[in-house]
Amino acid sequence: MSKIGKKIILIPKEVNLSINADSFDVKGPFGSKKINIDTKLFEVNISKNNELSIKPKRKSDDIKKMWGMNRSLLNNTVIGVNKGFVKTLEMTGVGYKAAIKGNSLNLQLGYSHGTDFEIPKDVKISVEKQTIIKISGLDKQLVGMIASKIKSFRPPEPYKGKGIKEKGEYVIRKEGKKK
């Protein structure tokens, strides 16, 4: 039995869920999203109390693995259209700053030139201070992927901690040279 797959998903009052063959249309205050789930393998039930449950029609090792994943995808979609997902990135370093120019994020990361990152249409990026970038959207995977891509431009280095990291991320520091 899948521990995650057995959990029930509570659907908030603001979220509307409609089932069309293999696809689920989820609409909420932050937008709408369509998710595909194989109804040949899984049975999806919505109770009167706005509780969503997913159960496999037959049990095998492969289906048990997909059971928890499909439940998590449904849950993330419901949370995304209701509240959205946010990642906060912090930039540490002398002269490191970010600015939004049109539809791109301009990053000054200590190189001789600035780095431009094109902002996708499904994600909202805002610069609170010059060194704090906030990424928000209703798709958890896309928000995490964009944050990872921005972090890859200048990952934090272990000696001084300069670079781009997520808020709350701990960078393992190394001791410098000794005389």
Side-chain angles (χ1 to χ4, degrees):
M1 294 292 277
S2 172
K3 291 179 183 179
I4 295 172
K6 285 191 280 185
K7 293 182 181 178
I8 293 173
I9 301 168
L10 296 172
I11 302 172
K13 293 177 184 173
E14 305 88 33
V15 176
N16 295 327
L17 186 90
S18 60
I19 302 170
N20 303 325
D22 282 353
S23 68
F24 293 85
D25 294 324
V26 186
K27 293 182 180 121
F30 276 80
S32 63
K33 189 171 179 203
K34 183 182 255 185
I35 184 168
N36 294 323
I37 290 184
D38 193 4
T39 53
K40 294 173 188 157
L41 300 176
F42 298 102
E43 181 182 328
V44 180
N45 297 322
I46 301 173
S47 70
K48 295 175 186 173
N49 304 342
N50 276 349
E51 293 178 344
L52 180 74
S53 64
I54 182 169
K55 291 188 174 134
K57 291 186 176 177
R58 56 187 158 82
K59 295 185 180 176
S60 70
D61 288 340
D62 293 333
I63 292 176
K64 285 180 189 176
K65 294 173 191 173
M66 293 190 323
W67 183 15
M69 182 195 68
N70 283 321
R71 187 258 178 213
S72 293
L73 290 174
L74 266 173
N75 190 38
N76 288 340
T77 304
V78 169
I79 292 170
V81 298
N82 188 33
K83 296 179 183 172
F85 293 99
V86 177
K87 289 240 182 204
T88 306
L89 301 179
E90 297 174 336
M91 297 169 48
T92 309
V94 177
Y96 285 25
K97 55 186 167 186
I100 294 180
K101 293 184 179 174
N103 195 26
S104 64
L105 177 69
N106 183 279
L107 300 168
Q108 300 294 327
L109 300 172
Y111 298 119
S112 61
H113 57 281
T115 305
D116 286 332
F117 178 74
E118 196 69 30
I119 301 172
K121 62 179 180 177
D122 296 338
V123 175
K124 183 182 172 200
I125 296 179
S126 61
V127 178
E128 291 183 351
K129 295 182 186 175
Q130 287 185 338
T131 58
I132 296 178
I133 304 167
K134 222 174 200 177
I135 305 164
S136 59
L138 58 96
D139 189 358
K140 186 176 185 177
Q141 179 192 1
L142 187 61
V143 169
M145 191 175 72
I146 299 297
S148 176
K149 179 75 174 168
I150 293 172
K151 282 171 36 177
S152 72
F153 292 138
R154 187 67 107 167
E157 54 97 14
Y159 294 101
K160 292 184 180 177
K162 293 176 12 177
I164 303 173
K165 64 176 184 150
E166 284 186 35
K167 187 174 185 175
E169 181 182 346
Y170 182 73
V171 178
I172 298 174
R173 303 287 292 269
K174 291 183 179 177
E175 191 175 342
K177 289 183 181 179
K178 293 182 181 179
K179 290 187 178 183

